[in-house]
Amino acid sequence: MAGTLYLVATPIGNLEDITLRALRVLKEVSLIACEDTRHTRVLLEHYGIKTKLTSYHEHNERERAEELATLLKEGQSIALVSDAGTPAISDPGFRLARLAQERGAQVVPIPGATAFVAALVASGLPTDEFFFGGFLPARFTQRRARLTEVRAIASTLVFYEAPHRVAESLQDAREILGEREAVVARELTKVHEEIVRGRLSELAEHFGKETARGEMVVVIDRNVLEEPKEDSTLTVAARVAALENEGMDARAALKRVAREMGLSRSEAYRRLTASRRT
Ligand code: SAM
């Protein structure tokens, strides 16, 4: 009989944020697959758990998923954890969950901490409908294209963001989504936990003063307080980036955008390069 794959949530900072069931499962399985064995060992040592560890991270995910699925098929029980929070949420995991199901193993979630849920509920922004977008793209054009795509979603928007990019992303969000209320939830469950609330422009200024630190989630209200200014250079760049994301090459994307917007190709190119200079 095939074994069981447990997707086990672990703390996002505070070691107490782990369930009794998660601790029992981590003790009982034959193997724990984790992103960084040194990191997970700290958690296991804290709780006196001696289960064997193996690595499963974004660089070995494909081969390792096959190996782990074979062990599951042979009847072993495996727990998958990530460095923090719930595995497969902006972390490796979905490939293994799918493969395990295909090989006839049971897949059992052991729920617990997830940074975006903690940030959303503490934000004071509406929680009835929300859109979780994972990490915003790191590159300027792609990030603005992504923000343009989500502009029309009438739900609270939630993103993960790296500290060195947060000011830039808040500024882009202000320009593309318009002025909105927002919250940056930083270092949740840790000593320096901080929930900073304000308008997007205020938060961009606050986090732009010096390089921000720590882990953070950005939560943005659905209500627009002030419409974004129409920016034609941005529109060309955002549309080109969206087409490139769909796999079109840069030349073909620019040609298509020029046609869509009724512009000459040289004018479209001028607007594209102007936006990349900003
Ligand atoms: N699997 C995790 C989860 O369930 O939330 C997310 C992993 S993702 C690679 C890491 C990102 O999650 C960080 O860059 C940050 O945006 C967010 N994050 C994780 N822990 C956090 C914390 N304690 N406070 C704020 N954000 C956190």
Side-chain angles (χ1 to χ4, degrees):
M1 221 175 85
T4 302
L5 172 68
Y6 296 94
L7 298 158
V8 181
T10 58
I12 57 169
N14 187 322
L15 286 184
E16 289 179 12
D17 291 332
I18 186 158
T19 69
L20 297 174
R21 185 171 175 225
L23 292 174
R24 179 177 57 75
V25 165
L26 291 175
K27 257 188 210 131
E28 289 176 1
V29 289
S30 33
L31 188 63
I32 299 173
C34 61
E35 284 187 274
D36 179 342
T37 51
R38 283 164 307 178
H39 187 98
T40 298
R41 203 159 275 130
V42 174
L43 175 74
L44 298 189
E45 275 172 12
H46 184 82
Y47 287 104
I49 297 170
K50 301 203 161 52
T51 312
K52 207 170 114 194
L53 293 174
T54 186
S55 73
Y56 179 80
H57 48 67
E58 58 177 335
H59 304 296
N60 70 8
E61 194 181 354
R62 281 171 197 275
E63 321 85 78
R64 200 41 75 85
E66 280 292 341
E67 292 163 21
L68 294 173
T70 303
L71 295 177
L72 286 163
K73 197 171 171 198
E74 289 165 0
Q76 291 208 36
S77 286
I78 299 174
L80 176 68
V81 300
S82 55
D83 278 352
T86 301
I89 298 295
S90 297
D91 269 331
F94 90 90
R95 279 200 180 81
L96 181 58
R98 178 188 292 206
L99 210 55
Q101 283 171 15
E102 285 170 7
R103 301 285 157 83
Q106 243 192 300
V107 176
V108 175
I110 310 289
T114 301
F116 79 84
V117 175
L120 176 67
V121 297
S123 71
L125 294 171
T127 53
D128 54 339
E129 264 187 58
F130 63 89
F131 170 86
F132 171 57
F135 282 98
L136 278 169
R139 293 178 60 196
F140 174 85
T141 322
Q142 278 85 349
R143 182 169 63 236
R144 291 171 77 106
R146 184 85 184 106
L147 287 164
T148 306
E149 282 167 11
V150 303
R151 183 164 56 188
I153 298 175
S155 308
T156 303
L157 304 175
V158 190
F159 298 101
Y160 286 162
E161 191 47 283
H164 59 281
R165 270 195 297 270
V166 72
E168 244 177 85
S169 291
L170 289 163
Q171 185 57 39
D172 287 345
R174 163 67 187 94
E175 284 170 27
I176 293 164
L177 305 176
E179 187 71 291
R180 302 189 188 191
E181 287 290 331
V183 161
V184 174
R186 208 175 68 80
E187 294 287 88
L188 292 167
T189 78
K190 305 188 205 176
V191 178
H192 298 293
E193 178 176 284
E194 190 182 30
I195 311 275
V196 191
R197 195 189 175 99
R199 294 179 170 216
L200 281 170
S201 56
E202 292 164 349
L203 292 176
E205 198 190 330
H206 175 84
F207 285 98
K209 279 188 197 134
E210 54 189 57
T211 309
R213 284 168 184 228
E215 298 198 278
M216 42 190 74
V217 184
V218 177
V219 188
I220 305 173
D221 194 7
R222 69 185 72 164
N223 295 315
V224 180
L225 303 168
E226 196 185 301
E227 291 293 335
K229 286 191 212 81
E230 195 45 56
D231 177 348
S232 55
T233 57
L234 163 68
T235 315
V236 170
R239 184 72 188 120
V240 166
L243 291 171
E244 284 179 347
N245 278 345
E246 287 166 21
M248 194 177 274
D249 74 53
R251 266 174 82 95
L254 187 64
K255 198 168 153 191
R256 161 89 77 87
V257 173
R259 200 175 55 235
E260 283 177 0
M261 295 184 176
L263 303 170
S264 66
R265 252 186 278 169
S266 58
E267 175 57 16
Y269 182 70
R270 191 192 65 73
R271 292 186 186 188
L272 179 69
T273 47
S275 76
R276 285 185 176 160
R277 275 200 301 272
T278 56

